[in-house]
Amino acid sequence: MTDAAVPVTQSTVESFTARYLRSLGCQIDIRDNEWQVTIPEDVETDLPKGQHNLLCDTVKDPDETHDILNPESSFFQSVLDDASDRVPLGSIKVSTTDTDILVPDWLQESPVSVSDINFTPYYDRSALVILFQVSVETVSEYQQEFLRSIGIDTRSNEILPNLDETFLTLTQSEAATVTSDDFTVEPEQAERLVDVSREPLLSDMQPQIDEIHQEASRAADAELEEYRQLQRQREEEFETKITRLRSKIGELNESIENRNQTERVEALKERRECKSKLEEVETELKALRHHREQGYPDQQHEIRERHGLEVVVTPVTVTEVEYERGDAEFELTDGNSTASLTLGYGSGVGVTEEVDCDTCNQPLSRENQLRSLTNGIQCGSCGSQ
């Protein structure tokens, strides 16, 4: 199955930035990977007015004359922040004339080949493609930001894994037209669909989020271990102080009887001070040992909280995509046998129904490729028997 959320590439960043800035009324002069952007004073935007020299590159450290434009650059983050405040709406139509027929993933690495494909559209459907900015942060410091897009059918709420990638590919073309006047989805429905899309988007990103969480946990563990070592060092220092004080008190006890009245008074005073200090140090040492035995709960809570993750998902753009639904007929051959499969299909979406193995009834997938047509539709496990 294709990933539900598609990561945004360098080319998509450039396409989005150019379209967004032009929609604001900015001028852009593009020469290879160098852009000269002019943001007029009368443009309603929080982006800095004036002229910007951009370098479209993946380098992290720009020179003094250029700002960098890439998915992680500060300029692009500023564009996203500005766009997310507006959440621009748009619409586009995807038809079979715009896209190639998408071969299902269970055929892409299959020994069975496709000799012919015919798509018959029956009706149009509407979907939303939503571009999200996903920020994964800790309480104390910024961690990482992602751009992900996801497609969802407006009627069925079905996630359309290929549609967002098709949309991003189409809108990278200078000839593509995305208009805002034709956005027909009601605001309440669009807001609901954006909310519905968050869960599958985050579910698809869970491996990345888990990786960041593991890094944060390792950082917390290292900080906690450093704190433990510091507290153990304090215990050792108190133990040394206690040994010295007890030794000093013992020496004073032995010398008191052999001193004159004045010296005895001074020695008794010094002994009281040592005993008082000893009691104070022993109390502190007891408290340190108690906290160690308890596992330093307060410090653990403070450190874990500081390294805890906060995931913020913000819609940047929402585009209504009109696409065609119908049937696609796949002519297949494995060298010995042929078969014709007619499957539900959406333009830019791909096959919209599952195909099961005729022998074991397990669905075909990227991991379970179509293997043979000799005894019907057979998957990798059954076709090799």
Side-chain angles (χ1 to χ4, degrees):
M1 181 176 181
T2 307
D3 292 341
V6 174
V8 175
T9 61
Q10 174 70 22
S11 58
T12 305
V13 165
E14 295 172 16
S15 175
F16 172 80
T17 302
R19 291 182 183 281
Y20 180 69
L21 292 176
R22 284 171 175 149
S23 73
L24 295 177
C26 304
Q27 288 80 48
I28 306 177
D29 181 18
I30 299 177
R31 298 179 181 177
D32 295 327
N33 66 336
E34 293 188 20
W35 294 14
Q36 188 174 82
V37 176
T38 303
I39 304 179
E41 292 294 332
D42 59 349
V43 169
E44 294 185 7
T45 176
D46 291 332
L47 295 171
K49 307 297 194 300
Q51 193 171 91
H52 300 268
N53 295 317
L54 302 181
L55 183 63
C56 299
D57 205 337
T58 56
V59 298
K60 294 184 177 180
D61 299 320
D63 57 37
E64 295 180 356
T65 60
H66 290 86
D67 290 320
I68 296 298
L69 179 62
N70 64 39
E72 298 180 358
S73 67
S74 59
F75 184 86
F76 184 60
Q77 294 304 321
S78 298
V79 170
L80 283 180
D81 291 341
D82 197 70
S84 62
D85 289 339
R86 303 166 183 264
V87 191
L89 306 177
S91 67
I92 192 171
K93 182 171 183 177
V94 176
S95 67
T96 51
T97 59
D98 303 315
T99 61
D100 295 329
I101 299 294
L102 298 174
V103 175
D105 51 12
W106 44 265
L107 272 172
Q108 291 177 5
E109 299 178 9
S110 169
V112 176
S113 61
V114 181
S115 59
D116 193 22
I117 310 175
N118 290 298
F119 174 56
T120 304
Y122 297 143
Y123 54 89
D124 291 337
R125 287 285 285 267
S126 174
L128 294 186
V129 171
I130 307 155
L131 179 64
F132 283 102
Q133 180 181 20
V134 183
S135 300
V136 184
E137 308 170 353
T138 64
V139 173
S140 57
E141 59 180 308
Y142 159 80
Q143 283 289 326
Q144 197 166 352
E145 290 194 353
F146 302 89
L147 282 177
R148 290 293 186 272
S149 61
I150 191 168
I152 183 170
D153 189 273
T154 58
R155 183 185 302 175
S156 65
N157 291 358
E158 175 189 1
I159 299 299
L160 306 172
N162 291 313
L163 186 61
D164 49 343
E165 187 171 8
T166 300
F167 166 76
L168 292 174
T169 300
L170 287 176
T171 54
Q172 287 172 20
S173 166
E174 290 298 322
T177 302
V178 180
T179 62
S180 57
D181 296 338
D182 299 330
F183 193 88
T184 62
V185 180
E186 292 296 326
E188 295 79 6
Q189 184 186 12
E191 184 175 348
R192 179 181 61 78
L193 290 169
V194 168
D195 289 339
V196 169
S197 300
R198 294 175 193 269
E199 184 175 345
L201 180 100
L202 288 176
S203 177
D204 188 67
M205 290 188 61
Q206 201 58 50
Q208 292 105 313
I209 295 173
D210 288 344
E211 183 178 346
I212 296 173
H213 183 263
Q214 289 170 6
E215 291 177 2
S217 295
R218 285 193 290 267
D221 290 341
E223 186 175 341
L224 189 57
E225 180 58 30
E226 183 179 346
Y227 180 81
R228 288 193 186 100
Q229 292 178 6
L230 179 62
Q231 297 309 298
R232 183 56 189 159
Q233 183 179 341
R234 290 187 63 198
E235 285 187 38
E236 292 173 354
E237 291 172 354
F238 283 144
E239 288 167 353
T240 301
K241 286 182 180 179
I242 289 172
T243 300
R244 290 175 180 172
L245 287 169
R246 285 176 177 170
S247 177
K248 181 66 174 177
I249 292 170
E251 292 174 1
L252 290 171
N253 287 336
E254 293 176 0
S255 64
I256 284 176
E257 298 301 328
N258 300 324
R259 297 188 181 188
N260 59 38
Q261 184 66 30
T262 302
E263 291 175 339
R264 186 180 295 117
V265 170
E266 288 298 323
L268 289 170
K269 179 182 179 183
E270 186 177 358
R271 188 178 69 175
R272 282 196 303 271
E273 291 175 352
C274 286
K275 285 184 175 181
S276 176
K277 184 64 175 177
L278 176 62
E279 184 179 346
E280 178 183 331
V281 175
E282 286 179 334
T283 299
E284 291 189 39
L285 178 59
K286 183 179 180 180
L288 282 175
R289 287 173 172 170
H290 175 73
H291 289 151
R292 172 164 53 82
E293 291 168 358
Q294 296 296 314
Y296 308 109
D298 293 340
Q299 193 68 18
Q300 279 214 48
H301 177 74
E302 189 272 331
I303 291 174
R304 299 294 180 194
E305 187 175 76
R306 183 149 31 85
H307 289 278
L309 293 188
E310 180 181 11
V311 181
V312 180
V313 183
T314 307
V316 178
T317 62
V318 179
T319 305
E320 183 181 5
V321 179
E322 184 180 319
Y323 69 102
E324 298 170 327
R325 283 264 195 169
D327 285 337
E329 185 177 8
F330 293 84
E331 299 293 340
L332 308 175
T333 178
D334 63 4
N336 298 315
S337 304
T338 61
S340 176
L341 284 182
T342 301
L343 304 172
Y345 187 89
S347 57
V349 175
V351 171
T352 56
E353 60 182 282
E354 287 188 342
V355 176
D356 295 335
C357 172
D358 290 336
T359 303
C360 68
N361 295 322
Q362 293 299 309
L364 301 179
S365 65
R366 185 189 301 276
E367 296 74 25
N368 189 28
Q369 296 278 312
L370 175 61
R371 180 64 177 267
S372 173
L373 302 173
T374 303
N375 297 307
I377 300 297
Q378 289 190 306
C379 68
S381 299
C382 300
S384 60
Q385 295 176 358

